[in-house]
Amino acid sequence: MNKLSGKTALVTGSSRGIGRATAIGLAREGALVAVHYARNGQAAQETVEFIEKVGGRAFTVHAELGVPGDIDQLFSGLEAGLQEHTGQTTLDILVNNAGETLPTGAAPEEVSAEQFDRLYAVNAKAPFFIAQRALGLIPDGGRIINISSGLTRVANPSQTVYSMTKGAIEQLTLHLARHLAPREINVNTVIPGITDNGNTIFKIPEVREQMSQLSAFKRIGEPDEVADAIVFLATDEARWITGAALDASGGSLLG
C-alpha cells in the first residue's frame, strides 16, 4: 500500500469498468485521482465516493472527448482540481483509458465515414492530444499508460475500425516511449481481453459462455484484474519497463 503516496493521476473514462477499477486501484496506493467522465456524472461521483470511503482521494473531471474543445475542457477541470487539492498542477500518472466502439460492430463495408471519424476522434486523436497537453504537467519520472485491446492481435471484421484505432494507441506508446526516455517518463500499453464492464451482454448466459472460451482460464476477466496490471506500471517497481505492451487478457492471445 501507499506505493503512489503523494502522486497524482488522471484516468480517462473512469466512471465504470476498467477505468473505474484503475482509479480505485491507484487511489488505494495513495494517489490523488482525477476521475474523468464524458456522460455519466453520477457514476463518476459514485467512484469518487467509493474511493473516499476506503480512505483515498479523488475528484471528478467532465469532458466529452472527440469534439471541438475537448482537450481544453478536460485540462481546465483537471488543473483546477489538482490546484484545489494539492496547491499545484503536477500530474504524475496519465492513463488513457477512454474509448468507444460500435455497440454491435459492423462489417467494413457497413461503416460510415461519420462512424469512422468518431472512433478515431475518441480512441486515437484524443489520447494523442491528451498526452501532448499532459507533458507540460508531467514531471521527469512520470508515467503514461495507454489501454489497447486484444483485438489488435486477432481478426474480427466486425471491429475493424475499433481495432485500427487501438493499433494507433500502441504506436503512440512506442514512439512516446523513445521520445520521453531522456526524461525517464515511462510509456506503456496494457492489452485487455474480454472484460466484464457491466454491460447487459455479460448477463446473457450463452453469450457469457461463448466469450469465456476465448481465455486460457475459460472465464471472463474482471476489471480489477486488468487494473492491477495498470497500477503496477504506474509504480516504481515498473521503472525499467517502457515501450512495452503488457498482455492482460487472461491468455486470450495464446491461440
Side-chain angles (χ1 to χ4, degrees), residues 44-250:
Q45 185 57 40
E46 289 171 357
T47 301
V48 169
E49 290 172 359
F50 181 87
I51 287 172
E52 292 175 340
K53 184 178 179 180
V54 297
R57 298 187 302 151
F59 60 93
T60 62
V61 178
H62 173 248
E64 173 76 23
L65 300 181
V67 300
D70 54 353
I71 308 303
D72 287 339
Q73 182 182 5
L74 174 63
F75 278 84
S76 175
L78 172 65
E79 292 179 34
L82 291 173
Q83 186 71 42
E84 177 184 349
H85 287 82
T86 70
Q88 54 188 2
T89 58
T90 300
L91 178 68
D92 298 290
I93 302 158
L94 167 62
V95 181
N96 272 316
N97 169 74
E100 287 189 14
T101 187
L102 301 179
T104 58
E109 59 268 33
E110 298 172 350
V111 177
S112 69
E114 291 76 14
Q115 290 172 321
F116 186 99
D117 289 345
R118 174 64 182 173
L119 261 60
Y120 259 90
V122 175
N123 297 357
K125 182 179 179 181
F128 176 88
F129 285 102
I130 290 170
Q132 181 191 73
R133 184 75 164 262
L135 289 179
L137 306 179
I138 297 176
D140 292 357
R143 299 284 191 273
I144 298 175
I145 303 163
N146 297 316
I147 310 306
S148 182
S149 167
L151 286 170
T152 61
R153 302 297 193 273
V154 296
N156 184 337
S158 69
Q159 296 291 348
T160 299
V161 180
Y162 175 77
S163 301
M164 291 170 66
T165 66
K166 289 303 186 178
I169 279 288
E170 294 185 21
Q171 287 299 305
L172 176 62
T173 290
L174 187 67
H175 296 284
L176 280 183
R178 172 63 73 184
H179 180 62
L180 298 174
R183 293 181 54 191
E184 297 193 4
I185 295 175
N186 299 53
V187 188
N188 291 292
T189 297
V190 171
I191 304 176
I194 294 177
T195 308
D196 188 345
N197 63 4
N199 191 294
T200 55
I201 195 171
F202 290 99
K203 300 186 185 337
I204 304 173
E206 56 269 29
V207 175
R208 192 175 182 90
E209 175 60 25
Q210 183 179 22
M211 292 190 293
S212 296
Q213 297 309 306
L214 297 175
S215 163
F217 299 120
K218 304 303 179 187
R219 65 177 178 83
I220 294 171
E222 295 296 329
D224 62 334
E225 293 177 310
V226 180
D228 285 346
I230 299 169
V231 173
F232 163 70
L233 289 174
T235 69
D236 191 55
E237 293 172 345
R239 63 191 177 278
W240 200 235
I241 303 173
T242 197
L246 177 57
D247 179 347
S249 72

